Amino acid sequence: MTGSGIKTVTFDVGQTILTAFPSVGSVYAEVSRANGVDADPAVVEKRFFEAWGACKRDRLAQGQLVYGASHDEAKVFWYGILDEVFMDKTLSPQLRRNLVESLYNVFAHPRRWRLVNGFKGALETCRRNGLGVGLISNWDLRLRDLLNDMGILDAVDFAVISAEEAVEKPDPEIFNKAAGLADCPADRILHVGDSWVEDVAGAVGAGFNVAWFNPNGVALPDELPTNAVELRGYGGFEDVLKKTRARI
């Protein structure tokens, strides 16, 4: 598998290798209650993901990095999400600050995250086949310490984080940075990620091969590009490697 085919595999992080534990809604509800604000985890969960998408679109429309290049810039984004999640409650400026600071710190800790089922096996498959492994993530400046604390940095060759590079997927520049660190041509890299725009379109635009991570079987937003495949779960990861190798 290491002859003329794939040389390196890169993974997105959020929802591709890491997921919040026990859930985003549960953590938000726990932190909010500790600050005197009652919240239903299921309602918070729904509102969070709606707000996340809307706030991302707003930041991009304004030509800004979604997660910023500093902690303060990142918190502006999370303030916007907080306002949407608790839109039916009146939060004083101080309570609003307390909630954002508490949530920002809580989600920086490993105990609030779990590896996606099967990722360790996919990582072992990469190593067994002599492949390099990297991470490419749109995330704020908390991520590198989080990955280090979870032992993930020691298990990969490099991590490219948007807040550190001041560029976010789907911009080809962040993929080019990863290709440089991998010392590998783009067409010999397979990128695995769950976002159609950031991971699939972004990686394809940079010349990477792509595996769209779609464990929930979401309908295809569009036709898969010729250098992309769908990955329903890490149980099928080795087959994806074989298919990608056969194609190139």
Side-chain angles (χ1 to χ4, degrees):
M1 190 171 293
T2 60
S4 60
I6 294 299
K7 302 290 188 182
T8 298
V9 179
T10 59
F11 294 88
D12 170 49
V13 175
Q15 309 303 316
T16 301
I17 72 168
L18 287 184
T19 185
F21 178 82
S23 69
V24 170
S26 295
V27 177
Y28 262 69
E30 177 186 324
V31 171
S32 66
R33 287 169 185 158
N35 283 273
V37 180
D38 189 43
D40 182 295
V43 173
V44 170
E45 183 90 2
K46 181 175 184 296
R47 287 183 178 176
F48 173 85
F49 284 104
E50 290 173 349
W52 188 36
C55 290
K56 282 173 66 175
R57 289 191 293 272
D58 287 346
R59 296 272 281 194
L60 292 170
Q62 295 168 20
Q64 298 175 326
L65 293 172
V66 172
Y67 301 102
S70 69
H71 291 295
D72 286 342
E73 289 177 2
K75 287 175 187 177
V76 171
F77 174 69
W78 296 114
Y79 269 115
I81 288 181
L82 182 81
D83 289 343
E84 292 297 318
V85 169
F86 297 107
M87 59 186 175
D88 57 345
K89 301 181 186 298
T90 301
L91 304 179
S92 69
Q94 185 60 54
L95 177 55
R96 189 168 172 260
R97 284 193 294 272
N98 289 347
L99 283 170
V100 168
E101 291 295 335
S102 296
L103 287 163
Y104 197 78
N105 291 332
V106 162
F107 278 111
H109 290 287
R111 69 189 183 93
R112 294 304 187 178
W113 299 93
R114 291 292 183 272
L115 288 177
V116 170
N117 187 40
F119 171 67
K120 281 187 177 180
L123 186 58
E124 290 169 359
T125 296
C126 291
R127 295 313 195 188
R128 189 171 62 250
N129 287 281
L131 303 177
V133 178
L135 306 175
I136 309 174
S137 180
N138 285 357
W139 205 292
D140 55 53
L141 290 176
R142 294 173 294 175
L143 183 57
R144 189 168 294 276
D145 286 342
L146 175 64
L147 293 172
N148 186 58
D149 292 343
M150 295 185 72
I152 298 173
L153 280 186
D154 289 338
V156 301
D157 301 312
F158 61 87
V160 182
I161 300 167
S162 65
E164 296 177 352
E165 304 298 331
V167 63
E168 293 175 337
K169 296 178 293 183
D171 193 314
E173 184 180 341
I174 195 168
F175 292 97
N176 293 341
K177 174 70 175 180
L181 291 172
D183 192 21
C184 181
D187 63 359
R188 293 295 180 263
I189 301 175
L190 172 66
H191 179 67
V192 181
D194 70 300
S195 169
W196 186 266
V197 172
E198 295 169 5
D199 295 304
V200 177
V204 166
F208 284 34
N209 299 278
V210 187
W212 181 42
F213 189 66
N214 184 28
N216 297 320
V218 176
L220 288 169
D222 202 347
E223 186 176 353
L224 274 169
T226 57
N227 58 340
V229 295
E230 184 181 7
L231 177 60
R232 285 294 184 93
Y234 284 117
F237 180 70
E238 192 152 15
D239 287 339
V240 162
L241 281 179
K242 290 176 181 177
K243 287 178 183 177
T244 305
R245 182 195 182 199
R247 186 178 65 246
I248 62 177

